[in-house]
Amino acid sequence: MTGLTGAPGTTDAPPKHSRLPRLRGLTWLVWRQHRTAYWTVLAASAGCLAWIVYQRTALTDFLTGHGWPARSVDDLGTELQPYTSDFQPVSMALGLIPVLLGVFIGAPLFAGDLENGTAKLVTAQSVSRTRWLAVKLGVTGLVIVVASVALSVAFGWWWSPVRGTATVLDWTSGSAFDTTGPVPVALSLLTFVGGAAIGVALRRTLASMVVTFAFAVAVQLVWSHFRLSLGDPVVLTTERGVTAEDSFPVLPGGAYQLDQSYLTGDGDLLGWSTCVQAADEQAHAACLRAADVVGWSVEYLPISQMGGMQWLGAGIVLALTAGLTVFLFVWGRKRLV
């Protein structure tokens, strides 16, 4: 008869090891130290994702019931408004996320440790300064990337059925451009790393948060100023005159007009205000003939360039983030204690 334990012929079953990854060592310590902030970011992102999924389902149900995608969304007019009115406030809220991450996650990340002496305690152990910096940046950066990627994909998925409708969201505005694709991820990482670097330099939590807020706002302002310069403008010209009803060129759907000018027979461009002071229509037409105006020249950005512009801009932002990261390690190794 075989015994339960230790009897002859009995083979003890090997202990079962969990296949789930477990945090250990310094990674566990960093997670435990900042777990409240991490779980807050992840939980808020999960709640926002669930709400976006609900809104997207309602939108597609409405569009499908009205013949979409065979029927153009533009034909729905005001019927579409109840299902798209939330795009603007949600996109504005998402646009604030990089600022919030920089101020409340990035700035206190190292400033708090330097201010209360935790950094000195950790580096007095067997942990090198470089490893302490790398693990704290890496774990926190991973949480930020996961949350921002998920929100970017979800918002783009929600917006995609009405993407070409300028009355819902203009794709060149920050409401759409900065909340979809790689842009929100890049901006979040830049403000986070910038806040962390400011915290290492100032060594005081509150002061670091204030300066980081100013830094994040400056980033948003500079980014919005140069956003359209990332594209390659397309020029469309006509030679059907400028006074007839069908003389103005028809732009592709979703195109964003940058500029318009009069085109002369010699190929020169005149401002659209040329001859605007003419007394009447006949005088205006005579003025245009005297200036040899033959048609329009319109400069625009097609919506097809949106993806390329986003990746180019994100690449520039990530390059700046890499530079700040190098500064953080070089400066932080000297200032960590």
Side-chain angles (χ1 to χ4, degrees):
M1 182 175 179
T2 303
L4 293 177
T5 59
T10 299
T11 302
D12 292 335
K16 295 182 180 180
H17 297 284
S18 175
R19 295 180 178 273
L20 296 176
R22 291 185 177 181
L23 301 179
R24 299 178 182 275
L26 186 56
T27 305
W28 174 85
L29 179 62
V30 170
W31 179 272
R32 183 168 181 80
Q33 182 185 14
H34 301 287
R35 64 187 183 277
T36 301
Y38 295 158
W39 282 119
T40 299
V41 171
L42 295 175
S45 300
C48 187
L49 289 174
W51 190 82
I52 288 177
V53 169
Y54 172 78
Q55 292 294 327
R56 156 80 185 205
T57 302
L59 174 62
T60 52
D61 287 347
F62 167 77
L63 294 177
T64 303
H66 287 76
W68 178 81
R71 181 184 177 185
S72 174
V73 175
D74 295 329
D75 296 338
L76 297 176
T78 56
E79 296 180 69
L80 189 62
Q81 186 175 359
Y83 299 90
T84 58
S85 59
D86 290 329
F87 276 106
Q88 194 66 40
V90 172
S91 63
M92 291 178 63
L94 294 179
L96 292 176
I97 289 179
V99 178
L100 298 177
L101 291 175
V103 173
F104 294 102
I105 304 294
L109 188 65
F110 296 110
D113 292 344
L114 292 168
E115 189 173 19
N116 58 32
T118 304
K120 184 179 294 186
L121 175 64
V122 172
T123 54
Q125 310 301 317
S126 59
V127 178
S128 67
R129 300 177 184 183
T130 301
R131 187 182 173 205
W132 176 245
L133 289 168
V135 173
K136 293 203 76 171
L137 273 181
V139 174
T140 311
L142 180 61
V143 172
I144 289 175
V145 167
V146 169
S148 55
V149 166
L151 291 174
S152 172
V153 172
F155 188 80
W157 176 62
W158 179 25
W159 178 51
S160 59
V162 292
R163 185 169 180 263
T165 307
T167 55
V168 176
L169 278 182
D170 180 5
W171 69 269
T172 60
S173 67
S175 300
F177 196 93
D178 298 350
T179 54
T180 58
V183 173
V185 183
L187 290 176
S188 296
L189 287 176
L190 177 60
T191 54
F192 157 64
V193 175
I198 292 170
V200 170
L202 297 183
R203 304 172 67 92
R204 293 292 182 269
T205 302
L206 183 58
S208 300
M209 293 175 71
V210 173
V211 175
T212 299
F213 176 77
F215 167 76
V217 171
V219 167
Q220 295 287 339
L221 292 176
V222 173
W223 170 258
S224 62
H225 180 72
F226 289 101
R227 185 189 302 119
L228 294 182
S229 63
L230 298 170
D232 184 17
V234 178
V235 178
L236 182 62
T237 61
T238 63
E239 296 184 359
R240 301 190 300 269
V242 295
T243 56
E245 292 183 0
D246 60 346
S247 61
F248 196 83
V250 178
L251 302 182
Y256 178 80
Q257 182 177 313
L258 296 172
D259 193 16
Q260 67 181 45
S261 306
Y262 289 139
L263 178 68
T264 68
D266 296 332
D268 296 329
L269 299 180
L270 301 176
W272 60 268
S273 59
T274 301
C275 302
V276 72
Q277 296 181 350
D280 51 35
E281 292 185 4
Q282 292 184 348
H284 183 259
C287 178
L288 293 176
R289 287 194 299 270
D292 194 24
V293 173
V294 297
W296 288 101
S297 176
V298 179
E299 188 177 47
Y300 69 94
L301 289 173
I303 194 173
S304 59
Q305 290 191 14
M306 180 179 180
M309 292 169 63
Q310 287 180 313
W311 280 104
L312 175 60
I316 296 173
V317 172
L318 290 176
L320 295 175
T321 305
L324 281 175
T325 304
V326 172
F327 166 80
L328 177 59
F329 274 89
V330 173
W331 185 265
R333 291 181 72 251
K334 301 176 182 179
R335 298 272 294 177
L336 196 56
V337 294

